[in-house]
Amino acid sequence: MREYARLYIDGAWQVPSGQGMAEVIDPASEVAIGRVPMGDEQDVERAVNAARRAFADWSRTPSSRRAGYIRALAEQLRAQAGEMADVITSELGMPVQWCQMVQVDGPVEGLEQYVELAGLMDEVREVGNSLVYREAVGVCAFINPWNYPLHQMIGKLAPALAAGCTVVVKPSQETPLHAFLLAEMIDAIGLPAGVFNLVSGPGSKVGEALARHPQVDMVSFTGSTGAGVRVSQAAAPTVKRVCLELGGKSPLLITADADLEAAVRHGVQDVMINSGQTCTALTRMLLPVERYAEALEIALAETRALVMGDPRDPQSFLGPMCSAGQRRTVLDYIRLGQEEGARLLCGGDSAPGLERGFYVAPTLFADVDNRMRIAQEEIFGPVLCLIPYADEQQAISMANDSPFGLSSAVWAGNRERGLALARQMRAGQCFVNGGGFNYRAPFGGYKQSGNGREWGEEGLGEFIEVKAVQL
């Protein structure tokens, strides 16, 4: 049991103004594993004021010194990677075979690049009779999700620190423990008081207060599209900058000349990692009609080979849903898919033999029409829609016929053909023939998947104001 009774504000652990504690539930055992404070609007006020006081000095701190703090935090995370991964497995349910690599090691790699990128803040561009400077946006509020909690926090925090911003962080109520462990690391490296502040609590109080606060210059939010709209509305009266990483319903377009077995197996695994609780998951597999039956057999065999079970068992590929509520949502969508006329190939209910835990068996739907709700709405569970297409023009049209545009993928017979198709995808990123995630490349979405970018130099740009000085 990890219990935190205080919030991290102004460089110290402080007694919260908010009343009560929130329990953190292990989704595999349904047992409480931690407690965190329920902050409120007064706690937000204290944290924002601390960040505002710290901003002037921190933004003028030499970039090399800010880079030193980033390096020190990366070292702390590497030294405690096992503990951090264990915490995230316990609160999220992601299996240990994936958790450290995806939830910890990847974000640390992304963090380390900002040791170098912090130096970009010193560059001055001369344009005619003007000097163009980069300056920090100011006080930033981060409202983080539960599915990749450290990953998304570092994706915001690293460029913010590099740019010279100060921050107030609100973790998800489902997975807050990692944020308190991170705050302990930040305290240990001696980051100046007020640069980083942590306020846990419900979105209706803490999140709303951060989004509307007049002293917050920017809010970065990761979560559902509906919640992102509400954050934007709360932020609008103060005309603050808003960066949103929202939902997805990403396509995987497999061409007729592709290595079908490799492509389909990759697509199934992509969706089932983290039990489908991934905003970029390739949840729509578009298949050439002439190879459709063969693809269904491959997908079914691959899905049945995946082990679902205790996330602490290294053999488990899938763990549970993060919460009972998420499990209900996924099962409701599975029922909806059957009502819409999609053919259930496997899954569709709780995992056999797992009496406790918020499990949903990996589920395949065949003969899905792209207009069905299960093909248009984000389910956020281990559910894959298999959709046939007649020709590539129809495939591209279906791939882009979505309110979302966060990610996409193409698997083609060769790289050049894959690139040509990738350029036609209306999405913020496209993976060709199994290409890997790159922390130095920009990450973000088109359409209702959000605005702004994370990671890489473009991620730094979200935290920069540009000033022209005329001479």
Side-chain angles (χ1 to χ4, degrees):
M1 171 72 74
R2 288 177 177 265
E3 185 163 342
Y4 295 92
R6 300 181 179 225
L7 302 171
Y8 191 75
I9 298 174
D10 205 14
W13 292 100
Q14 300 193 21
V15 176
S17 169
Q19 300 297 306
M21 300 282 286
E23 283 194 333
V24 182
I25 304 299
D26 180 337
S29 65
E30 303 183 44
V31 172
I33 55 166
R35 293 168 46 130
V36 298
M38 295 280 280
D40 64 9
E41 293 89 341
Q42 291 183 43
D43 295 311
V44 169
E45 188 70 22
R46 286 191 295 150
V48 171
N49 288 340
R52 176 57 61 193
R53 287 191 301 271
F55 175 69
D57 286 344
W58 178 248
S59 61
R60 290 195 295 264
T61 298
S63 63
S64 59
R65 188 173 173 213
R66 295 199 303 272
Y69 284 113
I70 294 170
R71 183 183 296 108
L73 180 57
E75 291 170 354
Q76 285 279 328
L77 275 165
R78 286 207 181 278
Q80 299 182 62
E83 181 182 5
M84 179 64 82
D86 183 66
V87 166
I88 295 174
T89 290
S90 296
E91 62 183 354
L92 172 62
M94 189 179 208
V96 292
Q97 70 158 296
W98 299 112
C99 201
Q100 182 163 331
M101 176 178 63
V102 174
Q103 298 280 4
V104 184
D105 293 345
V108 175
E109 177 188 338
L111 172 65
E112 288 174 329
Q113 70 178 297
Y114 289 98
V115 173
E116 174 189 346
L117 291 175
L120 293 178
M121 298 302 295
D122 300 330
E123 294 182 0
V124 180
R125 186 161 52 98
E126 188 170 351
V127 183
N129 68 311
S130 302
L131 298 177
V132 181
Y133 295 89
R134 294 182 175 102
E135 296 184 351
V137 164
V139 175
C140 302
F142 299 156
I143 304 174
N144 288 316
W146 49 261
N147 61 326
Y148 287 84
L150 181 69
H151 187 282
Q152 291 308 108
M153 187 184 297
I154 295 297
K156 305 174 196 304
L157 179 63
L161 295 179
C165 297
T166 56
V167 308
V168 181
V169 170
K170 189 202 95 65
S172 166
Q173 281 194 274
E174 281 82 9
T175 57
L177 298 177
H178 75 283
F180 284 81
L181 179 57
L182 183 69
E184 292 175 344
M185 297 181 196
I186 287 172
D187 189 61
I189 67 173
L191 193 69
V195 174
F196 174 92
N197 304 273
L198 173 65
V199 181
S200 56
S204 58
K205 286 187 178 181
V206 175
E208 288 279 340
L210 285 169
R212 66 171 179 261
H213 200 291
Q215 289 299 313
V216 169
D217 300 296
M218 173 190 179
V219 57
S220 181
F221 170 84
T222 301
S224 70
T225 297
V229 170
R230 292 192 293 275
V231 167
S232 297
Q233 291 169 336
T238 50
V239 200
K240 57 173 56 71
R241 185 177 298 184
V242 178
C243 182
L244 301 173
E245 198 269 279
L246 306 177
K249 195 70 183 179
S250 302
L252 166 57
L253 194 169
I254 300 175
T255 65
D257 64 344
D259 181 339
L260 190 65
E261 181 164 355
V264 172
R265 290 184 62 197
H266 173 86
V268 168
Q269 292 185 16
D270 177 90
V271 172
M272 302 308 170
I273 288 175
N274 207 24
S275 298
Q277 300 169 125
T278 304
C279 54
T280 58
L282 303 171
T283 50
R284 292 183 296 144
M285 186 180 291
L286 308 181
L287 296 156
V289 67
E290 63 268 30
R291 305 195 70 183
Y292 188 65
E294 182 185 358
L296 295 189
E297 291 181 5
I298 296 168
L300 190 57
E302 181 64 22
T303 303
R304 285 175 170 165
L306 300 178
V307 177
M308 169 173 272
D310 185 345
R312 292 167 188 81
D313 182 346
Q315 299 304 310
S316 295
F317 191 99
L318 299 91
M321 299 288 95
C322 179
S323 65
Q326 188 60 27
R327 181 177 180 273
R328 285 193 298 272
T329 296
V330 173
L331 292 176
D332 285 345
Y333 267 110
I334 292 171
R335 283 190 287 271
L336 174 64
Q338 293 172 286
E339 292 167 3
E340 289 184 305
R343 178 159 55 101
L344 186 67
L345 290 183
C346 66
D349 53 15
S350 302
L354 297 169
E355 289 75 22
R356 296 184 65 82
F358 309 130
Y359 292 92
V360 175
T363 300
L364 297 181
F365 274 115
D367 307 340
V368 176
D369 187 303
N370 198 58
R371 295 166 294 184
M372 291 178 179
R373 285 180 59 190
I374 60 168
Q376 289 289 311
E377 299 177 14
E378 186 173 46
I379 298 173
F380 231 55
V383 182
L384 174 59
C385 295
L386 303 159
I387 306 173
Y389 68 82
D391 54 47
E392 285 184 6
Q393 183 177 359
Q394 184 189 33
I396 289 290
S397 177
M398 287 196 298
N400 292 331
D401 182 15
S402 168
F404 301 110
L406 185 58
S407 187
S408 60
V410 171
W411 206 295
N414 58 65
R415 180 175 180 269
E416 291 68 29
R417 191 148 181 247
L419 282 171
L421 291 168
R423 292 299 305 273
Q424 299 178 65
M425 294 289 191
R426 295 288 297 164
Q429 58 183 340
C430 186
F431 296 84
V432 176
N433 288 9
F437 189 85
N438 180 5
Y439 285 95
R440 290 188 171 269
F443 173 80
Y446 290 14
K447 299 185 281 186
Q448 292 185 31
S449 288
N451 52 58
R453 292 295 182 267
E454 296 177 343
W455 302 115
E457 188 173 336
E458 288 82 0
L460 179 69
E462 295 296 327
F463 297 90
I464 292 174
E465 291 283 17
V466 179
K467 175 183 287 183
V469 175
Q470 278 62 254
L471 300 175

